[in-house]
Amino acid sequence: MTALDAIELNCADVTAALTAMRKSGKLHAGHASWAESAVLCYLRARETTEAERRALGRPETRAVRAQWTEIRGRETSDRRGATRYERTAWGRRYESADGTERELWLLSVNSVKEDRPAAEIAEAAAVAAAGIPAQAGFQDIYRPVPGSTRRPDRIRIIGVGCGSGDHAVLADWDFAEAQRQFELHAKPVLGRVVEGDRLNPGSSCTRCEGLVGCELPRRVPGLLGVPGPRRPRKRRSVSATDLRTHARCPAQFHLTRVLHLSSGKAESEAIRRGRAVDHWLNEQHGEGGCRDVPLPDALPRLSEDEQQAALSMLAQHQRACPLDGLRTGETVRVQERLSAYDPELDVVLIADPDLLYTRSGGWIWHETKTAAHRPWEGQELMAAHPQLAFAVLMMSAGVPGGDPRRSLIELEVLYEDGARCEEVDPGDPDTQAAARRIIAGLAGPWAVDETYAPATGDHCSGCEAAAHCAAGRSYLEAR
């Protein structure tokens, strides 16, 4: 965004802007590589859409510096105690020279985000339609600044994928239609947002100024069992998958888990199969047990050759679905987000069990995995599956709660020709000690890492960030 601001708002040369970005020293080398590619992809998308506008006889647009802000003030406080409401829409802003048309571009990291809710698009259009140029200082309200305040006749919302450069028109409405769409889709959602007071702890806690005084997530000092960094860091979140990825390659962790950069390469058969199996199980478990549910003829997004293995795995699960025979009144949660907070490290721990359900006063944490082959039996279970060790630490710390003597962690591994289920007691002292050892071993290097250097190896061949990792590409070329 800084490079695009220099190019579009300050008339900087593209090459000069990209050079300044690379030399700033603020970016990981892989991040800089992606950002350079993203800037070029974005500018090509802009050129294409401007050419399309000219072909349609519509005025060309230019970048707008100020933030469009819809501001509503009151003489007295409303029932929420508010006297002022401000609505903004993040993105890149453009308008025609005469102010008759405005465009708001919504950016996503890789490809165009195709599942944006209607309310999000409607709210973006409403702000673009009615917002006035404004800027806000640190911890200050938005204040009007010079710029066009003319009400536009036409508003377009454009989605663009910075990694690929693909783009799509999400809305192309006149002012009245933008207002109608807002009333229909966005206004009810905004109402629920400002009325809502339910705590929803998770990774967003890392950006919350109220975390220190909030009752959630549960405080567990020293949960990761490692000392903090020598100098202050921004609050972070971490999961078992994050730690496992960092242990494999710090650069891969930073680029894929923190920055969510991806090459867009096709997923492997194992990943596609696992995702399809998980999706079907989640849908069925959300309605209850799946033992008596007829299997589908085919699962979506799998090739014909991949169907048999996936359907066989579902059949293996159905023979021993953990929800089969569960008593009425027990609680079942699918992909429930759990969190805890380690104030010593200033880190929010995140876990998403595949299945979480109560049984006789305790919680059962159930993980389901798919595999083509049985594992090497010599490796310790929690070392092979660090998410189990992570679960032990969470449950021994009281997350999600319940009677710890009746709580259990289950790992179900599905194969095409069978299944196995392992049980882990989170209340067993020896198990807790082993879990602390495993997680501390993974978390120690992660907690103090500030450079995220690449660690090359065979995993480079399947890395989603390989396109932006010079060390990884060199390793693959030399292999």
Side-chain angles (χ1 to χ4, degrees):
M1 294 294 275
T2 301
L4 288 174
D5 284 347
I7 296 165
E8 295 188 325
L9 298 173
N10 300 330
C11 301
D13 175 75
V14 173
T15 301
L18 295 179
T19 300
M21 179 184 67
R22 286 194 303 271
K23 291 184 176 180
S24 68
K26 298 179 180 179
L27 302 181
H28 185 280
H31 188 177
S33 172
W34 174 87
E36 181 173 348
S37 172
V39 166
L40 297 176
C41 285
Y42 183 88
L43 293 176
R44 283 196 294 270
R46 278 286 301 159
E47 291 175 0
T48 299
T49 57
E50 284 298 286
E52 292 170 351
R53 291 183 66 89
R54 289 192 295 271
L56 294 172
R58 297 173 71 161
E60 61 183 46
T61 60
R62 59 190 181 188
V64 174
R65 187 181 302 272
Q67 182 96 15
W68 289 324
T69 310
E70 209 273 351
I71 302 171
R72 295 194 181 184
R74 296 171 52 91
E75 293 291 333
T76 58
S77 301
D78 63 12
R79 56 191 177 88
R80 304 186 191 97
T83 58
R84 181 182 177 93
Y85 289 92
E86 299 174 344
R87 291 166 38 225
T88 62
W90 183 87
R92 297 199 64 80
R93 298 164 297 279
Y94 304 90
E95 67 180 359
S96 59
D98 60 4
T100 58
E101 297 205 19
R102 285 181 176 180
E103 284 188 354
L104 181 64
W105 284 51
L106 305 182
L107 286 65
S108 48
V109 175
N110 298 312
S111 57
V112 170
K113 187 176 180 182
E114 298 179 350
D115 58 350
R116 291 188 188 274
E120 181 181 349
I121 298 171
E123 170 65 353
V127 170
I132 62 171
Q135 293 289 1
F138 179 67
Q139 293 185 336
D140 191 16
I141 62 174
Y142 276 88
R143 302 182 186 278
V145 296
S148 173
T149 58
R150 183 194 188 285
R151 191 180 82 174
D153 300 327
R154 198 94 194 158
I155 302 95
R156 288 212 311 178
I157 307 300
I158 310 291
V160 59
C162 295
S164 62
D166 57 337
H167 53 281
V169 178
L170 306 180
D172 189 350
W173 300 327
D174 62 22
F175 187 91
E177 180 62 15
Q179 295 299 105
R180 192 185 75 83
Q181 292 288 334
F182 168 79
E183 293 286 336
L184 180 63
H185 296 292
K187 188 174 182 179
V189 176
L190 288 172
R192 292 194 296 271
V193 168
V194 296
E195 293 286 356
D197 58 1
R198 181 177 66 88
L199 296 177
N200 186 29
S203 56
S204 60
C205 293
T206 59
R207 303 184 299 275
C208 180
E209 297 178 0
L211 178 63
V212 174
C214 185
E215 62 188 84
L216 290 177
R218 180 185 290 270
R219 267 62 173 166
V220 191
L223 184 57
L224 290 177
V226 297
R230 287 174 294 180
R231 57 182 181 179
R233 300 282 295 271
K234 287 184 178 181
R235 184 181 299 141
R236 296 177 287 172
S237 66
V238 70
S239 68
T241 302
D242 291 334
L243 294 178
R244 189 171 63 245
T245 305
H246 183 274
R248 181 168 57 244
C249 175
Q252 184 186 50
F253 158 77
H254 184 67
L255 297 177
T256 64
R257 302 296 298 177
V258 178
L259 301 179
H260 306 290
L261 307 183
S262 168
S263 63
K265 63 188 297 185
E267 294 177 322
S268 68
E269 178 181 346
I271 293 176
R272 289 195 302 273
R273 182 180 60 233
R275 198 184 304 280
V277 169
D278 284 345
H279 181 73
W280 190 87
L281 290 176
N282 289 342
E283 283 190 332
Q284 307 312 315
H285 291 159
E287 301 296 327
C290 65
R291 185 165 186 172
D292 298 324
V293 178
L295 288 177
D297 294 329
L299 295 172
R301 291 179 290 280
L302 292 183
S303 68
E304 185 175 345
D305 293 339
E306 297 168 339
Q307 294 289 345
Q308 180 58 47
L311 293 173
S312 296
M313 290 175 178
L314 291 178
Q316 300 297 336
H317 171 87
Q318 284 187 311
R319 295 188 178 97
C321 177
L323 301 185
D324 184 44
L326 196 65
R327 294 187 306 182
T328 303
E330 301 286 13
T331 300
V332 176
R333 297 175 180 172
V334 178
Q335 290 282 310
E336 174 86 358
R337 169 143 292 188
L338 302 179
S339 60
Y341 177 55
D342 184 341
E344 293 182 358
L345 281 181
D346 197 17
V347 167
V348 180
L349 284 74
I350 301 295
D352 300 295
D354 290 328
L355 188 60
L356 197 65
Y357 61 98
T358 57
R359 188 171 64 199
S360 303
W363 281 101
I364 311 300
W365 181 315
H366 188 93
E367 296 284 355
T368 303
K369 302 299 175 187
T370 60
H373 307 288
R374 282 163 172 73
W376 174 56
E377 296 297 337
Q379 189 174 18
E380 184 182 357
L381 180 66
M382 288 193 297
H385 302 280
Q387 67 267 35
L388 301 181
F390 207 80
V392 168
L393 296 188
M394 296 278 275
M395 296 194 87
S396 62
V399 180
D403 186 345
R405 298 168 300 177
R406 298 178 180 273
S407 295
L408 194 66
I409 299 167
E410 299 174 335
L411 172 66
E412 177 188 27
V413 185
L414 301 175
Y415 308 100
E416 186 174 359
D417 59 351
R420 68 185 180 102
C421 188
E422 305 281 356
E423 295 183 348
V424 178
D425 180 3
D428 177 66
D430 291 340
T431 299
Q432 292 177 3
R436 285 193 292 270
R437 170 177 53 80
I438 291 168
I439 294 303
L442 294 172
W446 167 84
V448 298
D449 194 357
E450 295 184 6
T451 60
Y452 307 108
T456 57
D458 290 343
H459 54 268
C460 291
S461 61
C463 179
E464 290 187 329
H468 304 294
C469 179
R473 293 196 304 275
S474 296
Y475 172 84
L476 293 174
E477 290 169 0
R479 213 171 41 161

